[in-house]
Amino acid sequence: MRARELGRKSVVVGDRVGLVGDTSGSSGALARIVRIEARRSVLRRTAEDDASTAEGRLERVVVANADQLVIVSALADPPPRTGFIDRCLVAAYDADIEPLLCLTKADLAGPEKVLDYYTELELPYLLIRPDSPLDALRSLLTGRVSVLVGHSGVGKSTLVNRLVPEAERAVGTVSAIGRGRHTSTSAVALRLPAPPGAQQDPGWIVDTPGVRSFGLAHVSAESLLHGFPDLVEATADCPANCPHTADEADCALDGWVAAGRADPRRLASYRRLLASRAGETDSRTEPDPHGRPE
């Protein structure tokens, strides 16, 4: 139960709380949440990008107190969408959470195109096949609270079931048009099983519902740039208050890309996010740098 003064939506997955009442955990025990501890991190998203609309301003807290954002993307069926990954990276950096790229279905396609797109970021990543061991992933999850996000159909629930067999998360299929079906309906925190004889905290994973968009209206234009660290250095040569848009003649980003110091697809993605924040594009149909919808 929750104290009335805390409000209906005050407590989210990952919160550390104070309890009063019977905390024994025995059958029939009843306790009440009376306090929410200060959060060390908050991962947020909005339904849309456009901060000028009511829907765009609708901010949702995905999870509190996370250490790591695991971005799950399939390499095929459905194909990877780097535009979505870019959004998740922006949200992670804004929340001061470390990102980890988890590329599933590596038995169906190679990772070269995706990794080439992020070559300047030194973004940590793992390749996952249906029969591959998960030791490397478990090592990166140990002792941490990790949030798994990804489009429906990328194999996120399958991955969760392999990590926590007793979770029994529903597994969906991919439709004929390459879109996954939503299988998870709410965020759930799951404690990872500890290996026999292990002394260290095995950590927690938070499985989230499959999403088709990750709105960034809550992220300032300045913070948005931090999701593109390969472009940050170039802005030192921009004029004061440069909007970094394509129609700004003195923006140094264009020269930076022309000199081969950043991938032009990265600049295009950054400017699309800037435009969608200003309500100039429909974020639901915003194209991916590789020509696919996000």
Side-chain angles (χ1 to χ4, degrees):
M1 295 183 64
R2 177 184 54 244
R4 181 176 299 176
E5 57 268 23
L6 292 180
R8 290 184 58 192
K9 298 182 179 180
S10 57
V11 184
V12 300
V13 173
D15 268 329
R16 303 286 181 172
V17 300
L19 300 173
V20 297
D22 186 349
T23 60
S24 65
S26 59
S27 178
L30 183 63
R32 186 164 54 124
I33 299 172
V34 295
R35 183 179 68 256
I36 303 172
E37 304 292 349
R39 296 165 175 169
R40 67 176 187 273
S41 70
V42 181
L43 179 67
R44 299 179 173 90
R45 76 178 183 96
T46 46
E48 301 289 350
D49 285 332
D50 187 1
S52 66
T53 67
E55 184 72 6
R57 291 192 300 270
L58 184 59
E59 183 179 302
R60 299 170 182 172
V61 176
V62 180
V63 67
N65 299 313
D67 306 301
Q68 184 170 233
L69 179 63
V70 181
I71 306 165
V72 184
S73 175
L75 289 169
D77 193 33
R81 293 174 170 85
T82 51
F84 176 78
I85 297 172
D86 285 346
R87 291 170 175 274
C88 293
L89 290 174
V90 168
Y93 293 136
D94 183 65
D96 198 22
I97 297 172
E98 294 182 21
L100 171 65
L101 182 58
C102 188
L103 298 171
T104 62
K105 305 186 184 182
D107 56 317
L108 301 180
E112 292 78 16
K113 288 185 178 180
V114 176
L115 298 183
D116 176 68
Y117 179 72
Y118 292 108
T119 187
E120 300 296 327
L121 270 66
E122 298 183 357
L123 177 64
Y125 71 91
L126 290 172
L127 300 179
I128 305 294
R129 297 175 176 82
D131 57 349
S132 63
L134 299 180
D135 296 349
L137 177 57
R138 287 193 178 95
S139 177
L140 293 171
L141 299 176
T142 298
R144 316 182 84 180
V145 177
S146 302
V147 189
L148 277 66
V149 298
H151 283 301
S152 297
V154 298
K156 183 166 57 65
S157 294
T158 298
L159 192 60
V160 170
N161 287 336
R162 291 186 64 191
L163 290 167
V164 189
E166 62 270 24
E168 298 182 347
R169 300 295 274 172
V171 177
T173 58
V174 178
S175 68
I177 59 174
R179 293 180 179 176
R181 305 179 190 276
H182 293 276
T183 50
S184 302
T185 59
S186 59
V188 176
L190 301 165
R191 189 167 184 81
L192 290 164
Q199 300 297 319
Q200 191 175 1
D201 175 14
W204 293 76
I205 56 173
V206 180
D207 185 22
T208 62
V211 295
R212 290 204 174 101
S213 65
F214 207 107
L216 298 172
H218 63 287
V219 179
S220 69
E222 181 180 355
S223 294
L224 189 66
L225 182 62
H226 294 157
F228 297 81
D230 45 333
L231 303 177
V232 170
E233 187 178 345
T235 60
D237 295 326
C238 286
N241 301 316
C242 179
H244 306 310
T245 54
D247 57 0
E248 176 54 54
D250 296 325
C251 180
L253 289 173
D254 296 281
W256 184 265
V257 169
R261 305 185 72 177
D263 191 318
R265 295 171 298 177
R266 295 279 294 160
L267 176 57
S269 180
Y270 170 58
R271 282 178 169 163
R272 270 195 304 275
L273 292 183
L274 280 176
S276 63
R277 286 192 79 262
E280 297 171 7
T281 62
D282 185 343
S283 63
R284 292 169 296 183
T285 57
E286 186 178 329
D288 181 274
H290 296 95
R292 296 180 294 270
E294 288 195 9

